[in-house]
Amino acid sequence: MALLNILHFPDKRLRTKASDVGTIDDALRQFISDMFETMYDAPGIGLAATQVDFHKRLLVIDVSEESNEPLCFINPVITHKEGVEVMQEGCLSVPGFYEDIERAESITVQALDKNGEKIELTTGGLLAVCIQHEIDHLDGKLFVDYLSPLKRNRIKKKIEKMEKEHAFNTDPNTPAI
Ligand code: QAP
Ligand code: CO
């Protein structure tokens, strides 16, 4: 059990392209459990390994009301996209900012689960948007990249200012004051 440190935009490490997960072993399952703990603690509905400075293709999601439907996708690949939908998105790596983003409305995703079993899921709504958002992280992409450079730069400056002032800090290993 451990809370992981979440990187914040504009940290360069968020731009790393993650490589495929090789073997799925107990050490990886422990890490996945730490990712869930970190996501639920935040609280958030999705977290990609990139956001906690681990550059393997792995993400966790729970979009359920009761936060009791954990989903883990390893080496996820979107094999089909359909329709267009605009939804307000946020991100644990861009704290305090929410913007409307256009994405595919429905997707089919193939991946491995935490036991290495193949999974295929066709879904829409918030789950589909969340999967696309999290896979973007694994490719070093953030939702702010879909905004105008002006908007993105305003967000960057505000986050840098807040971090400098210590107004908030999500590093569980660093005291808040
Ligand atoms: C991605 O984001 C997502 O700014 C997951 O202060 C979000 O869990 C996909 C969060 C919305 C689709 C729609 C953000 C928590 C959590 C914040 C999250 C914050 C505290 C974001
Ligand atoms: Co995010």
Side-chain angles (χ1 to χ4, degrees):
M1 295 276 279
L3 291 177
L4 306 166
N5 181 37
I6 299 174
L7 302 176
H8 287 164
F9 175 69
D11 195 308
K12 286 273 189 304
R13 292 171 288 181
L14 289 168
R15 298 310 187 177
T16 312
K17 186 166 165 57
S19 54
D20 279 340
V21 169
T23 45
I24 301 170
D25 56 13
D26 284 347
L28 189 76
R29 276 183 283 271
Q30 180 55 246
F31 188 75
I32 291 167
S33 144
D34 291 344
M35 282 181 63
F36 275 115
E37 193 186 343
T38 304
M39 178 185 77
Y40 287 127
D41 178 76
I45 58 169
L47 183 69
T50 308
Q51 293 176 273
V52 291
D53 205 19
F54 184 70
H55 303 286
K56 292 285 175 191
R57 304 190 76 81
L58 160 64
L59 56 94
V60 298
I61 289 180
D62 190 337
V63 296
S64 70
E65 287 286 322
E66 313 264 302
S67 297
N68 58 359
E69 290 170 32
L71 296 171
C72 171
F73 297 88
I74 298 172
N75 299 339
V77 177
I78 294 174
T79 57
H80 187 77
K81 291 189 186 196
E82 216 172 280
V84 175
E85 184 176 26
V86 174
M87 202 181 276
Q88 194 175 64
E89 294 186 21
C91 179
L92 289 169
S93 294
V94 190
F97 296 89
Y98 305 86
E99 296 288 343
D100 281 349
I101 305 294
E102 193 179 289
R103 300 205 187 255
E105 180 177 55
S106 144
I107 61 165
T108 299
V109 62
Q110 290 182 350
L112 299 175
D113 68 13
K114 65 182 189 337
N115 300 312
E117 307 281 351
K118 279 189 184 171
I119 46 177
E120 184 178 70
L121 174 72
T122 297
T123 190
L126 180 58
L127 180 56
V129 169
C130 201
I131 292 169
Q132 294 173 77
H133 175 115
E134 302 309 333
I135 291 177
D136 267 359
H137 277 300
L138 304 180
D139 293 322
K141 194 164 178 149
L142 298 169
F143 84 88
V144 295
D145 298 346
Y146 296 101
L147 306 174
S148 70
L150 180 68
K151 248 183 175 174
R152 184 166 53 252
N153 215 41
R154 275 195 197 134
I155 294 173
K156 173 173 165 267
K157 292 277 180 279
K158 284 180 185 166
I159 292 179
E160 282 172 338
K161 185 162 181 272
M162 280 187 276
E163 308 245 275
K164 211 187 259 168
E165 290 170 355
H166 256 251
F168 55 80
N169 170 10
T170 57
D171 184 349
N173 303 309
T174 306
I177 318 166

